[in-house]
Amino acid sequence: MEELILNKREKGLQGSLKVPGDKSVTHRAIMFGGLAEGKTVARDFLDSADCRSTMRCMEQLGVKIEQFGSELHIEGVGSGGLKEPEHVLDVGNSGTTIRLMTGILAGTPIYSVLVGDASIHKRPMSRVVDPLRQMGADIQGREDGRLAPISIKGGQTKGIRYESPIASAQVKSALLLCGLNSDGKTTVTEPFVSRDHTERMLKSFGVEVKREGTSVQIKGGQKLKGTDIQVPSDISSAAFFLVAAAITPGSSIRLEKVGLNPTRTGILDVFKKMGAAYSISNEQNINEEPIGDIDVSYSELRGTEINGEMIPRLIDEIPVIALLASQANGITTIKDASELRYKETDRIAAVADQLKNIGIDIEPTEDGMIIHGKQRVKGGNADSLGDHRIGMMLAVASCISETPITVRNISAIGVSYPNFLSDLDTLSE
Ligand code: S3P
């Protein structure tokens, strides 16, 4: 399905929905399960193109993975058990897979090559390659390791103290995973705390990770023990329905069992600042991760400022937050978000261009955007540009569009949420 015409949802959105499992948590469950001794079960895992890429990479490295309905059963190979792959490892569109696998493979004594799609081959790898080289890793790649394909001759690495210039969970996780195989301790300090699923999940696998402020430290040589992981629903997927309900008159929905890890809930802070009508109930903890139900309904919204430490806590939600802001009264300013330029697309340009195609004007800036509300969504022809979150943002915009929106390259949404459109239909029947 390469092109789809989407119509206004006249009656708004109603009902309850449990969105699919968290992408970041699923990637980690597959990788850590594969590295552990014994069996790991990942319940309610995300079955999407990105997570399938991680599965295939781990399988090529000798990990046995079986699917039983919504569960993945992973037979870990244990410390030092990964085998040299016969072919290149293809990460598809997945930035998390290529960054974290580079960290794992840097300290594993095998030779491997990581490749991906056209988008992956444009995304910066030096952010992990440079510090991993400081740890002693032998990594090559295009433009001296700045770009994939990346080849890794794994070997003995040593722990370092690394001050990361960016708040990136992919960088932090790659270094911690290499640190597990390294001599001594590895410490990563970030300007702000990025998502901390790696730290929380390693604890479930019996590994100690120390946190102090924005620093995390891991001691090399610790072994992972297989465990059961319940994957929470992905707040980054829930975000599309949260925004759809908040901007579509007549809407009132509940999203069940959504992951509420505080390093991911920046969108709820934005909702609060904008005066959105939402509440949280049934809060509980599952394997170190908080979850809860979110109720949200349509309401008047006001513009706000989004910057600083909030940014890593909502980085993936910014495309749909830009749409939200276009429906708020007043001005919304997003700053400190230059990382958006290095995602599946340059998301500052992609958001501005695609919203313009459907009648919404936003002003892109070097590190964010300025959005004046409240604007009409007129409809027209737009394109996901192969970026799942741009595709879903456009589908949400169609809920309030005066004329239909035709979205080209809509199948990109399969990267994180293959059933997104049917779930949207379920809430607006
Ligand atoms: C992710 C970290 C974030 C996020 C990405 C998933 C992860 O990227 O944007 O979608 O699972 O670690 P950065 O670490 O590059 O900010």
Side-chain angles (χ1 to χ4, degrees):
M1 185 183 28
E2 275 313 295
E3 185 173 291
L4 193 70
I5 302 171
L6 292 154
N7 294 301
K8 189 174 182 174
R9 311 279 160 160
E10 296 283 357
K11 295 191 210 122
L13 278 64
Q14 276 93 29
S16 289
L17 179 71
K18 186 169 173 293
V19 301
D22 189 280
K23 184 150 78 70
S24 294
V25 172
T26 301
H27 281 305
R28 287 160 172 79
I30 299 165
M31 290 180 197
F32 302 176
L35 295 173
E37 265 159 35
K39 184 171 171 176
T40 289
V41 178
R43 299 185 204 284
D44 293 329
F45 77 102
L46 172 65
D47 193 354
S48 77
D50 264 13
C51 299
R52 293 255 155 210
S53 297
T54 292
M55 279 164 69
R56 271 196 311 275
C57 289
M58 292 306 286
E59 282 172 338
Q60 281 178 260
L61 292 161
V63 175
K64 286 205 174 54
I65 305 176
E66 275 187 295
Q67 181 173 354
F68 297 95
S70 60
E71 291 181 4
L72 277 187
H73 291 211
I74 305 149
E75 284 299 336
V77 294
S79 179
L82 293 180
K83 74 165 183 34
E84 194 161 82
E86 283 175 33
H87 297 282
V88 297
L89 303 170
D90 188 350
V91 306
N93 189 244
S94 177
T96 304
T97 310
I98 197 163
R99 269 68 173 260
L100 271 59
M101 290 304 301
T102 302
I104 290 171
L105 294 166
T108 305
I110 56 175
Y111 175 73
S112 54
V113 179
L114 291 161
V115 300
D117 69 7
S119 158
I120 277 292
H121 285 206
K122 286 194 202 113
R123 296 182 68 180
M125 285 301 291
S126 31
R127 54 184 56 203
V128 291
V129 169
D130 290 350
L132 288 170
R133 281 178 176 164
Q134 285 176 34
M135 295 175 82
D138 183 357
I139 307 179
Q140 307 300 325
R142 280 192 303 140
E143 297 188 13
D144 191 28
R146 207 175 67 76
L147 297 170
I150 290 288
S151 71
I152 304 158
K153 178 84 193 79
Q156 191 53 53
T157 44
K158 58 177 191 308
I160 57 165
R161 285 184 163 274
Y162 185 66
E163 196 134 336
S164 177
I166 46 175
S168 161
Q170 293 177 356
V171 171
K172 173 176 63 179
S173 303
L175 302 192
L176 291 176
L177 289 167
C178 183
L180 263 179
N181 286 327
S182 299
D183 290 333
K185 292 174 182 163
T186 299
T187 310
V188 185
T189 304
E190 307 182 274
F192 300 116
V193 178
S194 64
R195 66 189 64 192
D196 64 357
H197 302 298
T198 294
E199 298 90 302
R200 289 175 189 249
M201 196 185 291
L202 282 175
K203 197 169 166 193
S204 298
F205 278 90
V207 170
E208 196 191 356
V209 185
K210 287 189 187 146
R211 166 165 296 284
E212 212 181 293
T214 62
S215 297
V216 284
Q217 187 179 71
I218 200 164
K219 207 164 130 200
Q222 299 186 69
K223 302 215 178 338
L224 286 77
K225 284 189 199 64
T227 187
D228 269 24
I229 300 288
Q230 171 65 48
V231 181
S233 292
D234 196 326
I235 191 166
S236 297
S237 297
F240 295 101
F241 296 111
L242 291 172
V243 170
I247 65 173
T248 310
S251 299
S252 183
I253 63 166
R254 167 169 287 199
L255 297 167
E256 295 162 6
K257 300 197 165 144
V258 181
L260 295 174
N261 179 318
T263 62
R264 298 285 300 281
T265 50
I267 186 163
L268 297 179
D269 297 352
V270 169
F271 263 39
K272 196 168 187 177
K273 283 163 64 125
M274 286 189 158
Y278 81 98
S279 63
I280 294 169
S281 57
N282 298 326
E283 283 178 82
Q284 50 179 303
N285 272 302
I286 43 159
N287 327 96
E288 314 290 331
E289 294 278 357
I291 62 163
D293 297 342
I294 310 176
D295 288 282
V296 56
S297 31
Y298 171 77
S299 65
E300 283 292 313
L301 304 166
R302 54 179 178 269
T304 189
E305 294 199 347
I306 303 170
N307 52 38
E309 64 81 36
M310 290 176 84
I311 297 295
R313 298 174 50 243
L314 48 65
I315 189 75
D316 293 340
E317 287 66 76
I318 290 179
V320 80
I321 287 174
L323 172 67
L324 176 76
S326 75
Q327 302 310 304
N329 297 305
I331 301 172
T332 296
T333 314
I334 303 175
K335 281 190 197 147
D336 306 324
S338 47
E339 271 298 298
L340 288 174
R341 298 207 180 268
Y342 309 106
K343 296 296 177 188
E344 285 82 335
T345 53
D346 170 345
R347 283 190 177 152
I348 295 178
V351 166
D353 292 347
Q354 299 314 312
L355 287 181
K356 198 177 188 68
N357 284 339
I358 57 168
I360 301 176
D361 262 322
I362 75 167
E363 192 187 317
T365 62
E366 204 40 57
D367 68 345
M369 45 195 107
I370 301 166
I371 306 142
H372 288 262
K374 186 173 179 169
Q375 300 188 43
R376 288 163 51 211
V377 183
K378 294 177 194 134
N381 295 315
D383 197 325
S384 76
L385 304 172
D387 183 334
H388 55 132
R389 300 203 196 278
I390 301 296
M392 287 186 277
M393 182 265 290
L394 291 166
V396 173
S398 72
C399 294
I400 54 166
S401 185
E402 290 168 8
T403 66
I405 296 180
T406 303
V407 187
R408 281 189 299 276
N409 294 311
I410 187 71
S411 55
I413 63 179
V415 156
S416 64
Y417 199 161
N419 294 327
F420 174 74
L421 294 167
S422 55
D423 283 353
L424 180 61
D425 286 343
T426 307
L427 292 177
S428 52
E429 266 157 4

